[in-house]
Amino acid sequence: MPPVSLVELFGLDLSHLLLYAAIGVVGGLLSGLIGVGGGVFFVPALVYGAGWGIKEAVAASLVIIVFSALSGTIRNAGSRDPVDWRVAGLLSLAVAPSALIGVFVSRFSPEEVVEATFALIILALALPTARGGSGPLGGRKKIPRWVVFAAGVLIGALSGLVGVGGGVMMVPLMVLGLGLSAKKAVSTSLAVVMFTGIVGASGYVATGFRDPHELLSLPPLILGSMLGAWLGVKARDPLPDRAIRVGFAGFMVLVSLRTLGGVVGVLP
């Protein structure tokens, strides 16, 4: 029996396998470093780097972040700032089921609406993410706790719509509203992102995410993201909170402007 080629095994040539693996590793690194699941990177990377449609990229992102968040959560168990499971459980009750709202809306929304929503959400959160718990109130809580959990419903719906898992929104909320340190919030966010991704991905699979090319592209993306998340958590411990927050906030602004440029036709 002749050996099976990569093209026969995955339906992809070597260059595509390497591209998807690289996207997975980079998104996973972001996941482990800043607790976002990696969706804020996976969606634009699949759209602009691999030529996917925005809705297919959102669906794939939710599938991938389940595994990247799981890898990061397992690695967090041995970190200096492990998951606060009490906060993770409570937030998951608000965020995860609400992802199905976003999945439903996505099925009937034009792609431009999904892209613009994605861009505006992460742009609005860039400054709060950079500031974290700093400012005139220091590390004290600034947002009432009930507002944090009410916002969880909106976060879940937006996560299902734009495929970002919700970590990009939950980290600043946990810092500003629940008094967690940035690193503790990152660890806890990954656990919530994992549960949200499971619910959101299930919704997309149930409603039509079955394109053979997209499904065959998932293994290298998933494996790369799991490796990247593991390395990201390990790299996060010695880094200062502020460096993590400011660096990620800058990335959020760049992605948002690039996406908005595509929506209005300024960029391809």
Side-chain angles (χ1 to χ4, degrees):
M1 181 176 178
V4 178
S5 69
L6 291 170
V7 174
E8 293 171 327
L9 182 62
F10 290 103
L12 304 167
D13 59 30
L14 181 59
S15 63
H16 282 94
L17 281 173
L18 293 175
L19 171 64
Y20 290 132
I23 290 173
V25 170
V26 175
L29 279 168
L30 285 173
S31 173
L33 278 171
I34 48 188
V36 298
V40 70
F41 173 80
F42 290 132
V43 174
L46 290 173
V47 171
Y48 300 117
W52 287 35
I54 183 69
K55 293 185 180 181
E56 291 73 21
V58 166
S61 172
L62 286 170
V63 174
I64 300 164
I65 64 176
V66 173
F67 296 92
S68 63
L70 173 62
S71 176
T73 299
I74 293 172
R75 180 63 181 82
N76 274 325
S79 74
R80 300 173 189 171
D81 298 276
V83 175
D84 185 325
W85 285 107
R86 179 174 175 275
V87 171
L90 290 172
L91 269 180
S92 294
L93 290 175
V95 178
S98 304
L100 294 177
I101 300 172
V103 173
F104 177 79
V105 172
S106 175
R107 307 311 295 180
F108 302 100
S109 297
E111 289 202 350
E112 292 78 8
V113 173
V114 179
E115 290 178 341
T117 303
F118 171 82
L120 292 173
I121 288 169
I122 61 174
L123 183 61
L125 286 164
L127 183 57
T129 299
R131 286 180 172 175
S134 62
L137 297 180
R140 290 183 289 170
K141 301 174 187 176
K142 305 175 186 178
I143 302 174
R145 184 167 295 187
W146 69 268
V147 173
V148 174
F149 292 104
V153 176
L154 177 61
I155 289 171
L158 293 173
S159 299
L161 178 63
V162 299
V164 298
V168 67
M169 295 164 268
M170 284 185 288
V171 170
L173 278 174
M174 283 189 280
V175 171
L176 300 173
L178 301 177
L180 272 63
S181 69
K183 291 183 180 180
K184 192 80 167 179
V186 165
S187 296
T188 304
S189 171
L190 274 179
V192 182
V193 164
M194 179 177 64
F195 296 125
T196 304
I198 290 171
V199 174
S202 299
Y204 274 103
V205 170
T207 56
F209 179 66
R210 300 188 184 92
D211 184 281
H213 176 77
E214 293 159 3
L215 291 174
L216 290 170
S217 303
L218 291 178
L221 285 164
I222 289 170
L223 292 175
S225 72
M226 294 181 73
L227 173 62
W230 189 272
L231 296 173
V233 171
K234 185 174 183 180
R236 187 189 70 212
D237 281 343
L239 294 176
D241 278 3
R242 180 171 176 78
I244 295 172
R245 292 196 308 267
V246 173
F248 182 53
F251 172 77
M252 291 165 69
V253 171
L254 290 176
V255 170
S256 177
L257 294 177
R258 174 64 181 85
T259 305
L260 285 174
V263 172
V264 300
V266 175
L267 296 173

